[in-house]
Amino acid sequence: MLFLFQGCAIVHHVQVGEVRHKKDFVRMPFQLKISETGIDFGEMANISKSLSKNKAGNSVSSIAEIISLFQTGPRTGKPVYNESYADSLATALYKECPSGDITGLVLVREMNSYPVVSGEIIKINGYCLQRKTAKKGKKS
Amino acid sequence: MKYILILSMFILSSCTHMASVSQTSIPAKKGNVVKAEVKNNIIFFFNFSNDYVNEINEKLIAQCPNGSVKGILTKHENITYFPIIFHQIKISAEGYCNE
């Protein structure tokens, strides 16, 4: 049980961006999250090997070995099979703050890890600068 | 006795790993230095939320309410106090407050 649940929420990278201050503007906080499912075929092979002592376990293991040949270089988290899932980030930011006056971005690359699968997450917290007259909601 | 010594050497050893570093552009005119850090203690690798990271910006802004924070150096460290038993994740940010 201990090893099944270990490291459920793992932080890979944190980046704090500059915080701007503008007179007569307020900072309206927002949060964005995009994610993709990661799959670890190596882990899957190990589990299927330990569960079945027949050929099925070995063939899953062989598939995992072949796939690992195509996965090289530094990486964070488990492999995802949609490499463009983070591309919509800039568009999503502008949706949150149509004026484009964005500041104080904190980018967190994190992972929710479970056996075999994981949630590969990119989370962004930031502030949209809005004129005091156009203030809606909570001021930060 | 020898085994107890070896075991205690393993358990009592602590080390720090630098997981990531980032730096934004350093301004020509440097104001006061502002620092903020957030920590998360992890026992037996159990960690279910990373929301503590969100506080770091608020801590920076609180120290520079009427200015801009620039030239921010962010460090993300993993500290192992007792292997397997107790870890800490520390995120620190340091920048210049220009008013």
Side-chain angles (χ1 to χ4, degrees), chain A residues 12-29:
Chain A
H12 289 299
H13 179 79
V14 178
Q15 189 174 336
V16 180
E18 289 180 354
V19 185
R20 275 186 301 126
H21 173 75
K22 271 170 103 176
K23 208 182 165 189
D24 297 328
F25 278 74
V26 285
R27 297 184 184 111
M28 306 295 289

Side-chain angles (χ1 to χ4, degrees), chain B residues 71-87:
Chain B
I72 300 172
L73 169 70
T74 314
K75 289 190 288 184
H76 166 202
E77 294 159 79
N78 294 328
I79 305 160
T80 305
Y81 287 106
F82 298 102
I84 302 171
I85 302 164
F86 183 62
H87 297 256

Side-chain angles (χ1 to χ4, degrees), chain A residues 113-133:
Chain A
S113 179
Y114 308 100
V116 183
V117 293
S118 65
E120 302 296 333
I121 301 164
I122 299 167
K123 193 167 75 184
I124 292 184
N125 285 289
Y127 298 95
C128 181
L129 292 175
Q130 289 181 0
R131 279 201 181 275
K132 272 182 182 167
T133 48

Side-chain angles (χ1 to χ4, degrees), chain A residues 14-87:
Chain A
V14 178
Q15 189 174 336
V16 180
E18 289 180 354
V19 185
R20 275 186 301 126
H21 173 75
K22 271 170 103 176
K23 208 182 165 189
D24 297 328
F25 278 74
V26 285
R27 297 184 184 111
M28 306 295 289
F30 66 84
Q31 189 182 67
L32 261 180
K33 211 183 226 184
I34 54 169
S35 65
E36 182 61 42
T37 306
I39 300 167
D40 190 335
F41 279 101
E43 220 170 275
M44 191 193 278
N46 289 338
I47 290 171
S48 52
K49 243 186 179 180
S50 58
L51 291 178
S52 63
K53 301 281 178 201
N54 55 24
K55 278 182 182 176
N58 289 331
S59 46
V60 174
S61 175
S62 314
I63 292 166
E65 278 165 18
I66 293 165
I67 289 172
S68 69
L69 293 174
F70 297 93
Q71 296 171 338
T72 56
R75 68 180 190 199
T76 53
K78 290 175 183 170
V80 293
Y81 295 92
N82 170 16
E83 76 280 8
S84 60
Y85 79 100
D87 292 358

